[in-house]
Amino acid sequence: MWAAGLKLVRDVLGGAGVLRIGVDVGGTNTDAVLMDGRQLVAFDKSPTTANVSDGIAAAIRGVLRGDATRPGRVAPQDVVAVMIGTTHFTNAFVERRNLLPVGVVRIALPAARGVPPLMDWPADFIDAIGRNVHCVRGGYQFDGRINSSLDELAVRDAARDMKAKGLRAAAVCGLFSPLNAEMEERAGAIFAEEAPEIAVTLSNRIGRIGLLQRENAAIMNASLSAMAANVVAAFSEALSTLAIDAPFFVSQNDGTLMNADLVARYPVLTFASGPTNSMRGAAYLSGLSDALVADIGGTTTDIGMLSGGFPRESAVSSDIGGVRTNFRMPDILSIGLGGGSVVRFDQDTLRVGPKSVGYRLPQLARVFGGDTLTASDIAVAAGYAVMGDGARVADLEPMLVEAGVSEIHRLLAEGVDRMKTSAEPVRLVLVGGGSVLINRDIPGVSEIIIPEAASVANAIGASIAQAGGEVDRVFSYEQLGREGAIAAATAEAERVAVEAGAAPGSLRVVDVEELPLAYVPGGAVRLRVKVTGDLKLSAASEPLLVGVRV
C-alpha cells in the first residue's frame, strides 16, 4: 500500500544551471529548497522566528551550503530568483493587527443603495479600520454597458475628505467593474491628483463579479497596505544580508507568482498560498496530477484535492476572519492536527489538538527535553517516528500511546472523508514535516504516498510556481457561439499570462468554467478561463514582472 519516490524529472523553470530558491514560512518551521533545473539540490528546515526575516535568512543559509550532490558552498550570485510563500498577511488580518484605517468609495448609485459597505463586518474590525464610507453615482450593467455615469465631483470630494482625515489607504469598488474597469480606473486617477499619499486598491484587480464580496476583498487589501510594504522591505533586507542580488517573488493562492512591487499592492492575493504551495509541491514530487493531499505541519493539517496539478478551487465565498470575500481561494479543509499538537485528557478522553506548541516544538516537546506531551512524542513512543530522545517518552503507558496513535489517525481519516467527493477510494499524498505521524491505513484511501523530501513540499511548490492569467467576465453565446466565446476568453487569458512573464510556448489552459445567466437575454454566460505557463527564467536573463489577474 505504501509508495515513496522522488520524481524530480519535470523541468518547470528551465534547464540545469538555473539555480533558484523556494522558501515557505510556516507557523512552526521555515523551509527552504535549492533547485537546479530538474534537480532538488538541497533543503533545510529552520524554526520560524518571531522576526520572520531571521528564519528566512537561516533557512536560505542552510541550502546555500549545498549537500553531497553539490559539494561546497553555492555562491549567492549564482541564484537567479527566490520564491517565497508566506502567511504574514493572512495572520495579520485574522488577528486584527497592523491594519490601517480605510476609506471606502462605492461607485454604484442609484443601485446598491440598500446594503451599505461594511454592513456585515465584525465590530472589532470596524474599530480597527473605521467606517469612512462614500457612495457615489456610477457603475455598469452585467454586460459592461453603463448603468449610470460616474460622478467625478463626488469622487473628488471623497478623496479630499479622506486626505483631511489623515487616511493612508482607500478601497474603490464599482458595480460590475470586472466587466468594465474604466470608472474604477478613473476614480483611481482622481485620487492620484487629489491625495497621492493615499494607497488606493481597485476592486477589479482582486475580486470577481459579486459587488459586496469584491468590495470586502478590496477593503481587506487596503487595510494591509502599510504592512505589505514593511514585509517586502524585510524580505529584501534578508536577501541583501545573504548577498543575494536576485529578484524575489511571492506566491499567490492560485499557484502563480507576484513580484515585490505587486505584493506591496495586492497582499490579499497571498491568502492561503501556503496550502497551495504544499499541494503543488505534492503534485511535483509524486508525479500525480489528480489526488487528495494532506499537508501535516506543526500546528495544522491542510487537506485538499489536486485537479490537473492545481488545488481544486473553492466554489463558495470564502470567510476570512469573519468577512466574506469572492476572490479565488483553494478548497482547503484545515484541522487541528500537527506535530506540535498537545495531547491531553479531557474528562477521561484523550484528545490531540487543536492547541499546539507550534514553532516551540523543539523546546517544549518531551522528546526534546520539554514537559508538554505532543503528537510527535506519541509517534516516537509508538516506535515509528525518530526524533529527539526516545528515552524521554519510554515511560508512557502502552494504552495511552495506542489511544494517541488511534486518535491521530482518526482525525486525519475524518478530514479525508469530508474532502472526498465520492465513495470511491482515492490516492492520498502526505507531505509536510508532520507526515511522520501517519503509519496506518486510512479508510477510503486506496494508496498512501509519502514522497522523498515530503517535509519540504511547500518550499518546492513555491520554487516551481508559474506565471498565470485569468479572465472572468460575461460573454454572449448568441453573438459569438460557445466555441468562439471560449476561444476569445482563452486568447485574452493567454495575453495576460504572457504579460505576466509566462513563456509563450509553455502556456496551457488549466480551468474553464461556464455559468449560464438565467433570465438574461442574448445567451449570456459568465465564462472564466485560467491559463498558466512556465516563468521566463534563465541564468542569463532577468525574470519578467509577474502580474495579477486583470
Side-chain angles (χ1 to χ4, degrees):
M1 173 155 186
W2 294 88
L6 182 58
K7 299 182 178 180
L8 298 179
V9 296
R10 287 157 293 282
D11 186 2
V12 178
L13 292 178
V18 181
L19 293 178
R20 62 196 184 279
I21 291 174
V23 180
D24 188 88
V25 183
T28 304
N29 291 306
T30 295
D31 300 337
V33 296
L34 178 66
M35 304 289 288
D36 183 0
R38 302 174 181 178
Q39 295 184 339
L40 170 63
V41 176
F43 62 86
D44 187 84
K45 272 184 176 291
S46 294
T48 296
T49 55
N51 179 358
V52 180
S53 298
D54 293 341
I56 292 174
I60 292 178
R61 279 193 197 95
V63 298
L64 288 178
R65 286 193 291 267
D67 63 9
T69 65
R70 183 186 289 273
R73 185 177 179 85
V74 174
Q77 60 266 27
D78 291 338
V79 177
V80 300
V82 178
M83 290 78 166
I84 301 174
T86 179
T87 59
H88 277 75
F89 306 113
T90 311
N91 295 342
F93 189 80
V94 171
E95 295 170 14
R96 280 76 157 164
R97 57 180 171 83
N98 299 323
L99 302 182
L100 286 178
V102 177
V104 183
V105 176
R106 178 188 288 179
I107 305 172
L109 295 180
R113 190 188 297 271
V115 182
L118 300 169
M119 184 171 182
D120 59 345
W121 283 55
D124 54 349
F125 268 130
I126 300 299
D127 292 340
I129 67 173
R131 197 182 289 276
N132 305 289
V133 173
H134 296 262
C135 294
V136 305
R137 290 184 62 86
Y140 295 92
Q141 297 183 31
F142 76 94
D143 57 359
R145 290 179 292 127
I146 290 179
N147 190 59
S148 58
S149 299
L150 177 65
D151 187 343
E152 294 194 7
L153 182 58
V155 175
R156 289 190 185 277
D157 289 342
R160 292 166 181 165
D161 178 68
M162 293 177 194
K163 181 177 181 177
K165 291 178 178 177
L167 297 183
R168 297 162 53 197
V172 176
C173 183
L175 191 64
F176 286 113
S177 62
L179 307 181
N180 189 332
E182 185 176 340
M183 291 188 191
E184 279 195 9
E185 298 291 344
R186 177 56 186 153
I190 292 172
F191 265 83
E193 296 169 5
E194 298 290 343
E197 66 274 24
I198 295 178
V200 178
T201 295
L202 304 182
S203 74
N204 72 86
R205 304 291 182 88
I206 297 174
R208 291 175 174 163
I209 292 177
L211 176 69
L212 298 181
Q213 293 93 338
R214 174 164 43 88
E215 183 175 70
N216 288 345
I219 297 169
M220 281 183 185
N221 191 78
S223 72
L224 292 165
S225 56
M227 182 188 179
N230 292 335
V231 168
V232 167
F235 287 170
S236 180
E237 182 180 351
L239 297 182
S240 177
T241 299
L242 298 171
I244 295 177
D245 193 32
F248 72 88
F249 303 89
V250 174
S251 52
Q252 303 184 70
N253 54 22
D254 67 344
T256 59
L257 296 165
M258 288 191 290
N259 68 4
D261 177 63
L262 290 172
V263 175
R265 291 163 55 193
Y266 306 114
V268 296
L269 295 182
T270 69
F271 283 14
S273 62
T276 299
N277 286 339
S278 296
M279 296 188 69
R280 291 279 290 139
Y284 185 65
L285 291 170
S286 68
L288 299 176
S289 59
D290 296 278
L292 202 62
V293 175
D295 175 22
I296 308 177
T299 303
T300 61
T301 294
D302 296 319
I303 305 172
M305 182 68 75
L306 279 172
S307 178
F310 285 83
R312 181 177 66 196
E313 198 164 301
S314 176
V316 298
S317 296
S318 303
D319 186 301
I320 302 172
V323 178
R324 292 175 63 81
T325 72
N326 68 352
F327 59 87
R328 57 173 187 252
M329 289 285 281
D331 186 10
I332 299 292
L333 172 66
S334 294
I335 61 176
L337 171 64
S341 294
V342 176
V343 179
R344 67 194 188 284
F345 281 93
D346 184 5
Q347 298 179 349
D348 296 327
T349 300
L350 184 141
R351 299 187 183 279
V352 178
K355 185 178 179 181
S356 172
V357 297
Y359 67 85
R360 296 174 297 168
L361 178 67
Q363 292 79 42
L364 299 184
R366 287 185 57 170
V367 292
F368 295 114
D371 57 6
T372 303
L373 185 63
T374 68
S376 294
D377 295 315
I378 294 294
V380 172
Y384 63 83
V386 179
M387 67 182 79
D389 184 359
R392 294 182 179 275
V393 292
D395 61 332
L396 293 179
E397 293 289 338
M399 290 183 61
L400 183 151
V401 174
E402 174 58 28
V405 171
S406 297
E407 179 64 7
I408 288 170
H409 288 78
R410 185 196 69 80
L411 288 170
L412 180 61
E414 183 180 90
V416 166
D417 186 62
R418 290 174 60 185
M419 288 302 292
K420 289 177 61 179
T421 56
S422 74
E424 294 298 316
V426 296
R427 289 181 290 187
L428 174 64
V429 182
L430 294 181
V431 295
S435 58
V436 297
L437 299 179
I438 305 301
N439 83 325
R440 297 180 179 177
D441 294 350
I442 300 296
V445 172
S446 61
E447 181 183 17
I448 295 178
I449 302 166
I450 305 181
E452 190 179 342
S455 64
V456 291
N458 45 12
I460 290 173
S463 74
I464 66 172
Q466 299 172 298
E470 181 179 301
V471 169
D472 183 359
R473 63 185 182 86
V474 176
F475 289 83
S476 171
Y477 277 14
E478 283 189 4
Q479 292 181 2
L480 299 176
R482 179 176 181 272
E483 291 184 1
I486 293 177
T490 300
E492 188 174 342
E494 288 177 342
R495 177 188 60 79
V496 174
V498 170
E499 289 179 354
S506 69
L507 297 177
R508 72 183 183 103
V509 177
V510 297
D511 193 21
V512 176
E513 180 181 315
E514 298 173 88
L515 179 64
L517 301 181
Y519 309 113
V520 176
V525 176
R526 178 182 172 187
L527 187 58
R528 185 174 68 87
V529 176
K530 179 179 177 181
V531 171
T532 63
D534 299 342
L535 188 66
K536 286 183 179 177
L537 194 61
S538 69
S541 64
E542 290 291 322
L544 297 181
L545 298 185
V546 179
V548 295
R549 183 184 68 83
V550 298

